[in-house]
Amino acid sequence: MSKVIEVAQEHKEMEYTITQMIKDYRWMTREVFRLQNIIHGYSTAMTSWGVAQYGIEAVMPKGSRGKSEAEIRKIESLEVKRKNRLQRYEIEVFLLETLADTLKNEHQKVIYDCLLEGMTYREIGLHLGMSKDNVQEQKRDIVRQLRENEQMETFLLYGETH
């Protein structure tokens, strides 16, 4: 019986995390572009995320003249933290966007898209001609479907995807 309770608790935690990811989607996409501009000097299209630099930029030295070793270490540490955060946000945004195709029906896909846009249950209900309670019920089903997705489960458990 304890194992059943443990699995139920794990599912509940995963569903909470997915719900939070959906809520955070809008600011996360903006943060991805901001971090890309800071790190790379420009935003990259999602289709090219993970592609290495090439050409003259790849071979040019990255150091800066006239800075102390401590300043350089501090800057590098900040850069590493930003890159790690950028990588995690890119994975989350990409995952949320690609998993929309795995939902059962078009109705749920529209609700999911509206949720990612930050619309409230009432706004979605008005948009689709349904009650906000029905929208909430559909959202619970969407979150359950996402939790059961293998890619999402791998990300939630290990912080990475296939």
Side-chain angles (χ1 to χ4, degrees), residues 19-36:
T19 301
Q20 198 60 46
M21 286 171 64
I22 291 170
K23 286 180 183 176
D24 293 345
Y25 172 81
R26 288 182 63 193
W27 70 258
M28 236 185 297
T29 54
R30 289 190 304 268
E31 183 65 1
V32 163
F33 290 116
R34 187 186 78 82
L35 288 171
Q36 286 175 340

Side-chain angles (χ1 to χ4, degrees), residues 3-54:
K3 184 70 173 169
V4 171
I5 293 171
E6 192 175 305
V7 169
Q9 181 64 28
E10 183 177 292
H11 286 179
K12 188 175 180 179
E13 288 172 10
M14 290 173 124
E15 288 175 1
Y16 175 80
T17 302
I18 292 168
T19 301
Q20 198 60 46
M21 286 171 64
I22 291 170
K23 286 180 183 176
D24 293 345
Y25 172 81
R26 288 182 63 193
W27 70 258
M28 236 185 297
T29 54
R30 289 190 304 268
E31 183 65 1
V32 163
F33 290 116
R34 187 186 78 82
L35 288 171
Q36 286 175 340
N37 282 325
I38 289 171
I39 294 169
H40 306 297
Y42 57 87
S43 311
T44 57
M46 187 186 309
T47 54
S48 66
W49 287 352
V51 176
Q53 276 188 334
Y54 58 93

